[in-house]
Amino acid sequence: GDGGRYTLTMGLAATGWASVGAVDENGLAPERQVETRRGREVRAANFQRETGRITFSGPQVEYPLLPGSQDRIGWLLQLAAVLEAAPELAGRGREVVLFVAGPRGDGRPWTFISQGPESVELAAGAVDGVRLHREPAGPFDTRVDVWLDPARHHLPVRLRLQNRAEGEVTEFALQALSQP
């Protein structure tokens, strides 16, 4: 329901990301996302609800804070929530658009196109998932493939990210599943 608070954290080697925010009628409502290096904050995105702007600790750019806007961590859970609320969006060719901003000053609509049902092989076994794909909007933008599990509230079970056209691919996969 409304009024809840959340904190999301993610780490890879010496770099970490954290997001804090609230839950409102549009789902996750981020307030601040920080990027840390060896435990020290290096940059931040600020979702300023009172002024309706997204601002950054470094770059002097800002974006309007649209309802449902997400940071670079929360978009994944928001995408799951959108499909849970409207399962028909999993149909092949259907689109989900989220405005995503990150602590480096990037911000743009991310368009996810459903590729339809696709089985996912996980350590815990096969999942009948739904695959969504995002094409990057430029050479340094993020290509995304994400597989959601409709039987478990569209929980993301696999995620593949590629940040540059020739860049390395980072992949995450769920390690264990309880019965739905």
Side-chain angles (χ1 to χ4, degrees):
D2 293 354
R5 304 278 310 159
Y6 72 85
T7 300
L8 302 170
T9 57
M10 206 170 131
L12 212 57
T15 304
W17 298 269
S19 169
V20 295
V23 179
D24 67 15
E25 66 278 6
N26 298 302
L28 292 190
E31 290 162 11
R32 185 167 163 82
Q33 185 198 351
V34 299
E35 183 179 322
T36 56
R37 204 159 296 256
R38 296 187 173 77
R40 302 209 358 237
E41 185 176 312
V42 287
R43 25 180 102 78
N46 303 293
F47 294 72
Q48 301 189 8
R49 308 218 162 260
E50 58 288 349
T51 59
R53 310 298 292 167
I54 303 172
T55 61
F56 304 90
S57 61
Q60 295 304 299
V61 294
E62 51 177 65
Y63 303 101
L65 179 49
L66 306 168
S69 293
Q70 296 301 314
D71 61 35
R72 285 284 202 138
I73 304 180
W75 68 264
L76 187 57
L77 297 178
Q78 182 75 358
L79 189 61
V82 168
L83 267 85
E84 186 65 12
E88 66 276 9
L89 293 174
R92 188 173 172 77
R94 297 294 299 269
E95 291 186 1
V96 176
V97 180
L98 302 176
F99 189 88
V100 177
R104 294 166 185 258
D106 51 293
R108 58 165 50 100
W110 282 21
T111 300
F112 296 89
I113 300 175
S114 175
Q115 309 299 299
E118 190 172 301
S119 183
V120 189
E121 287 296 332
L122 299 171
V127 167
D128 293 325
V130 173
R131 179 180 179 182
L132 288 98
H133 176 76
R134 175 191 185 248
E135 268 300 304
F140 297 100
D141 197 18
T142 307
R143 171 179 278 110
V144 179
D145 283 286
V146 59
W147 289 260
L148 306 176
D149 182 359
R152 293 174 179 82
H153 305 289
H154 292 88
L155 174 77
V157 292
R158 185 175 176 205
L159 172 63
R160 190 188 304 153
L161 302 170
Q162 187 176 22
N163 284 328
R164 286 181 314 287
E166 313 76 42
E168 61 186 64
V169 173
T170 306
E171 191 151 330
F172 302 91
L174 199 66
Q175 292 302 304
L177 287 171
S178 58
Q179 291 307 307

